Short mmCIF file of all heavy atoms in Angstrom, two decimals:
data_model
loop_
_atom_site.label_atom_id
_atom_site.label_comp_id
_atom_site.label_asym_id
_atom_site.label_seq_id
_atom_site.Cartn_x
_atom_site.Cartn_y
_atom_site.Cartn_z
N THR A 237 51.68 198.34 113.63
CA THR A 237 51.78 197.57 114.88
C THR A 237 51.09 198.27 116.05
O THR A 237 50.95 197.68 117.12
CB THR A 237 53.25 197.34 115.23
OG1 THR A 237 53.89 198.60 115.49
CG2 THR A 237 53.98 196.64 114.10
N GLY A 238 50.73 199.52 115.84
CA GLY A 238 50.12 200.27 116.93
C GLY A 238 51.13 201.02 117.77
O GLY A 238 50.74 201.71 118.72
N ASP A 239 52.43 200.85 117.43
CA ASP A 239 53.48 201.54 118.17
C ASP A 239 54.44 202.16 117.16
O ASP A 239 54.95 201.48 116.27
CB ASP A 239 54.22 200.56 119.07
CG ASP A 239 55.24 201.27 119.98
OD1 ASP A 239 56.28 201.69 119.45
OD2 ASP A 239 55.00 201.35 121.19
N ALA A 240 54.70 203.47 117.30
CA ALA A 240 55.54 204.17 116.32
C ALA A 240 56.96 203.62 116.30
O ALA A 240 57.58 203.48 115.24
CB ALA A 240 55.56 205.66 116.64
N THR A 241 57.49 203.27 117.48
CA THR A 241 58.86 202.74 117.54
C THR A 241 58.96 201.38 116.86
O THR A 241 59.90 201.10 116.11
CB THR A 241 59.31 202.62 119.01
OG1 THR A 241 59.21 203.91 119.65
CG2 THR A 241 60.74 202.12 119.09
N LEU A 242 57.95 200.51 117.11
CA LEU A 242 57.94 199.20 116.47
C LEU A 242 57.76 199.33 114.97
O LEU A 242 58.34 198.56 114.19
CB LEU A 242 56.82 198.34 117.06
CG LEU A 242 57.02 197.83 118.50
CD1 LEU A 242 55.82 197.02 118.97
CD2 LEU A 242 58.29 196.99 118.59
N ASN A 243 56.95 200.29 114.54
CA ASN A 243 56.77 200.51 113.11
C ASN A 243 58.09 200.88 112.43
O ASN A 243 58.41 200.40 111.35
CB ASN A 243 55.74 201.61 112.87
CG ASN A 243 54.32 201.14 113.15
OD1 ASN A 243 54.07 199.94 113.25
ND2 ASN A 243 53.40 202.09 113.30
N GLU A 244 58.85 201.73 113.10
CA GLU A 244 60.13 202.16 112.54
C GLU A 244 61.12 200.99 112.48
O GLU A 244 61.84 200.81 111.49
CB GLU A 244 60.70 203.30 113.38
CG GLU A 244 61.99 203.90 112.82
CD GLU A 244 62.44 205.13 113.59
OE1 GLU A 244 61.58 206.01 113.84
OE2 GLU A 244 63.63 205.20 113.94
N ALA A 245 61.15 200.16 113.56
CA ALA A 245 62.04 199.00 113.59
C ALA A 245 61.65 198.00 112.50
O ALA A 245 62.51 197.43 111.81
CB ALA A 245 62.00 198.34 114.96
N ALA A 246 60.36 197.76 112.32
CA ALA A 246 59.89 196.83 111.29
C ALA A 246 60.24 197.34 109.90
O ALA A 246 60.62 196.56 109.01
CB ALA A 246 58.39 196.62 111.43
N LEU A 247 60.16 198.62 109.68
CA LEU A 247 60.49 199.20 108.38
C LEU A 247 61.98 199.04 108.08
O LEU A 247 62.37 198.71 106.95
CB LEU A 247 60.10 200.68 108.35
CG LEU A 247 60.35 201.42 107.04
CD1 LEU A 247 59.63 200.74 105.88
CD2 LEU A 247 59.91 202.88 107.16
N ILE A 248 62.83 199.22 109.11
CA ILE A 248 64.27 199.05 108.93
C ILE A 248 64.59 197.60 108.58
O ILE A 248 65.40 197.31 107.67
CB ILE A 248 65.02 199.48 110.21
CG1 ILE A 248 64.88 201.00 110.41
CG2 ILE A 248 66.49 199.09 110.14
CD1 ILE A 248 65.44 201.49 111.72
N LEU A 249 63.95 196.65 109.28
CA LEU A 249 64.18 195.24 108.99
C LEU A 249 63.74 194.88 107.58
O LEU A 249 64.41 194.10 106.88
CB LEU A 249 63.42 194.37 110.00
CG LEU A 249 63.96 194.38 111.44
CD1 LEU A 249 63.06 193.56 112.36
CD2 LEU A 249 65.38 193.82 111.48
N ARG A 250 62.64 195.45 107.12
CA ARG A 250 62.17 195.17 105.77
C ARG A 250 63.16 195.70 104.73
O ARG A 250 63.46 195.03 103.73
CB ARG A 250 60.78 195.79 105.56
CG ARG A 250 60.32 195.79 104.11
CD ARG A 250 58.85 196.06 103.96
NE ARG A 250 58.07 194.93 104.41
CZ ARG A 250 56.74 194.84 104.25
NH1 ARG A 250 56.07 195.84 103.69
NH2 ARG A 250 56.07 193.79 104.66
N LEU A 251 63.68 196.89 104.95
CA LEU A 251 64.63 197.46 104.00
C LEU A 251 65.93 196.63 103.97
O LEU A 251 66.50 196.41 102.90
CB LEU A 251 64.95 198.91 104.38
CG LEU A 251 63.79 199.91 104.22
CD1 LEU A 251 64.19 201.28 104.75
CD2 LEU A 251 63.37 200.00 102.76
N LEU A 252 66.38 196.16 105.13
CA LEU A 252 67.57 195.31 105.16
C LEU A 252 67.34 193.99 104.44
O LEU A 252 68.22 193.46 103.74
CB LEU A 252 67.99 195.04 106.62
CG LEU A 252 68.53 196.25 107.40
CD1 LEU A 252 68.76 195.88 108.86
CD2 LEU A 252 69.82 196.75 106.76
N HIS A 253 66.12 193.46 104.59
CA HIS A 253 65.78 192.20 103.91
C HIS A 253 65.78 192.38 102.40
O HIS A 253 66.28 191.51 101.66
CB HIS A 253 64.42 191.71 104.40
CG HIS A 253 63.97 190.44 103.74
ND1 HIS A 253 64.68 189.27 103.84
CD2 HIS A 253 62.89 190.16 102.96
CE1 HIS A 253 64.06 188.30 103.17
NE2 HIS A 253 62.96 188.83 102.62
N VAL A 254 65.25 193.48 101.93
CA VAL A 254 65.24 193.76 100.49
C VAL A 254 66.67 193.88 99.96
O VAL A 254 67.00 193.38 98.87
CB VAL A 254 64.44 195.05 100.20
CG1 VAL A 254 64.62 195.48 98.75
CG2 VAL A 254 62.97 194.84 100.51
N GLU A 255 67.55 194.50 100.74
CA GLU A 255 68.95 194.63 100.33
C GLU A 255 69.62 193.27 100.23
O GLU A 255 70.40 192.99 99.30
CB GLU A 255 69.69 195.52 101.33
CG GLU A 255 71.18 195.71 101.03
CD GLU A 255 71.41 196.46 99.72
OE1 GLU A 255 70.49 197.18 99.28
OE2 GLU A 255 72.50 196.31 99.15
N GLU A 256 69.32 192.37 101.19
CA GLU A 256 69.89 191.02 101.15
C GLU A 256 69.39 190.25 99.94
O GLU A 256 70.13 189.49 99.31
CB GLU A 256 69.55 190.28 102.44
CG GLU A 256 70.28 190.81 103.67
CD GLU A 256 69.88 190.06 104.93
OE1 GLU A 256 68.91 189.26 104.86
OE2 GLU A 256 70.51 190.28 105.97
N LEU A 257 68.11 190.42 99.60
CA LEU A 257 67.57 189.76 98.42
C LEU A 257 68.25 190.24 97.15
O LEU A 257 68.53 189.46 96.23
CB LEU A 257 66.06 189.99 98.33
CG LEU A 257 65.19 189.27 99.38
CD1 LEU A 257 63.72 189.65 99.19
CD2 LEU A 257 65.36 187.76 99.27
N ARG A 258 68.53 191.53 97.07
CA ARG A 258 69.23 192.06 95.90
C ARG A 258 70.64 191.47 95.78
O ARG A 258 71.09 191.12 94.69
CB ARG A 258 69.31 193.58 96.00
CG ARG A 258 67.97 194.30 95.79
CD ARG A 258 68.12 195.79 96.01
NE ARG A 258 66.86 196.48 95.76
CZ ARG A 258 66.66 197.78 96.01
NH1 ARG A 258 67.66 198.50 96.51
NH2 ARG A 258 65.49 198.34 95.76
N GLU A 259 71.33 191.36 96.91
CA GLU A 259 72.68 190.79 96.88
C GLU A 259 72.65 189.32 96.49
O GLU A 259 73.51 188.84 95.73
CB GLU A 259 73.33 190.95 98.26
CG GLU A 259 74.77 190.47 98.31
CD GLU A 259 75.41 190.71 99.67
OE1 GLU A 259 74.76 191.35 100.52
OE2 GLU A 259 76.55 190.25 99.86
N LEU A 260 71.62 188.59 96.99
CA LEU A 260 71.48 187.18 96.63
C LEU A 260 71.24 187.02 95.14
O LEU A 260 71.81 186.15 94.48
CB LEU A 260 70.34 186.56 97.43
CG LEU A 260 70.00 185.10 97.09
CD1 LEU A 260 71.20 184.19 97.36
CD2 LEU A 260 68.78 184.64 97.89
N GLN A 261 70.38 187.88 94.58
CA GLN A 261 70.10 187.81 93.16
C GLN A 261 71.36 188.09 92.32
O GLN A 261 71.60 187.46 91.29
CB GLN A 261 68.99 188.81 92.79
CG GLN A 261 68.54 188.74 91.33
CD GLN A 261 67.96 187.40 90.98
OE1 GLN A 261 67.06 186.91 91.66
NE2 GLN A 261 68.47 186.80 89.92
N THR A 262 72.17 189.04 92.80
CA THR A 262 73.42 189.35 92.09
C THR A 262 74.35 188.14 92.08
O THR A 262 74.96 187.82 91.05
CB THR A 262 74.11 190.54 92.76
OG1 THR A 262 73.24 191.69 92.71
CG2 THR A 262 75.42 190.87 92.05
N ARG A 263 74.46 187.45 93.20
CA ARG A 263 75.33 186.27 93.27
C ARG A 263 74.79 185.14 92.39
O ARG A 263 75.57 184.41 91.76
CB ARG A 263 75.44 185.80 94.72
CG ARG A 263 76.20 186.77 95.62
CD ARG A 263 76.36 186.22 97.01
NE ARG A 263 77.11 187.14 97.86
CZ ARG A 263 77.39 186.90 99.14
NH1 ARG A 263 76.97 185.76 99.70
NH2 ARG A 263 78.08 187.78 99.85
N ILE A 264 73.48 184.99 92.34
CA ILE A 264 72.88 183.97 91.47
C ILE A 264 73.21 184.27 90.01
O ILE A 264 73.59 183.38 89.25
CB ILE A 264 71.36 183.90 91.68
CG1 ILE A 264 71.04 183.35 93.08
CG2 ILE A 264 70.70 183.03 90.61
CD1 ILE A 264 69.58 183.35 93.42
N ASN A 265 73.10 185.52 89.63
CA ASN A 265 73.43 185.91 88.26
C ASN A 265 74.90 185.64 87.95
O ASN A 265 75.25 185.17 86.86
CB ASN A 265 73.10 187.38 88.04
CG ASN A 265 71.61 187.67 88.11
OD1 ASN A 265 70.79 186.76 87.93
ND2 ASN A 265 71.25 188.91 88.39
N GLU A 266 75.79 185.95 88.90
CA GLU A 266 77.21 185.69 88.70
C GLU A 266 77.50 184.21 88.56
O GLU A 266 78.34 183.78 87.73
CB GLU A 266 78.03 186.27 89.86
CG GLU A 266 78.01 187.79 89.92
CD GLU A 266 78.72 188.32 91.15
OE1 GLU A 266 79.06 187.48 92.03
OE2 GLU A 266 78.94 189.55 91.24
N ALA A 267 76.80 183.38 89.35
CA ALA A 267 76.99 181.92 89.26
C ALA A 267 76.53 181.40 87.91
O ALA A 267 77.19 180.54 87.30
CB ALA A 267 76.22 181.23 90.39
N LEU A 268 75.41 181.91 87.41
CA LEU A 268 74.92 181.48 86.10
C LEU A 268 75.90 181.84 84.99
O LEU A 268 76.15 181.05 84.08
CB LEU A 268 73.55 182.12 85.83
CG LEU A 268 72.38 181.62 86.69
CD1 LEU A 268 71.13 182.43 86.40
CD2 LEU A 268 72.14 180.14 86.46
N VAL A 269 76.47 183.04 85.09
CA VAL A 269 77.45 183.46 84.08
C VAL A 269 78.69 182.58 84.12
O VAL A 269 79.23 182.18 83.08
CB VAL A 269 77.83 184.94 84.29
CG1 VAL A 269 79.00 185.33 83.39
CG2 VAL A 269 76.62 185.85 84.02
N ALA A 270 79.13 182.23 85.35
CA ALA A 270 80.32 181.38 85.48
C ALA A 270 80.08 179.99 84.92
O ALA A 270 80.93 179.41 84.24
CB ALA A 270 80.73 181.30 86.95
#
Side-chain angles (χ1 to χ4, degrees):
T237 64
D239 186 287
T241 303
L242 289 179
N243 286 344
E244 184 173 313
L247 182 57
I248 293 174
L249 290 176
R250 168 165 288 188
L251 292 175
L252 291 174
H253 179 60
V254 171
E255 179 64 22
E256 290 178 351
L257 290 178
R258 289 176 178 172
E259 184 177 354
L260 176 61
Q261 184 62 53
T262 300
R263 293 183 178 180
I264 292 175
N265 294 338
E266 292 175 351
L268 291 175
V269 171

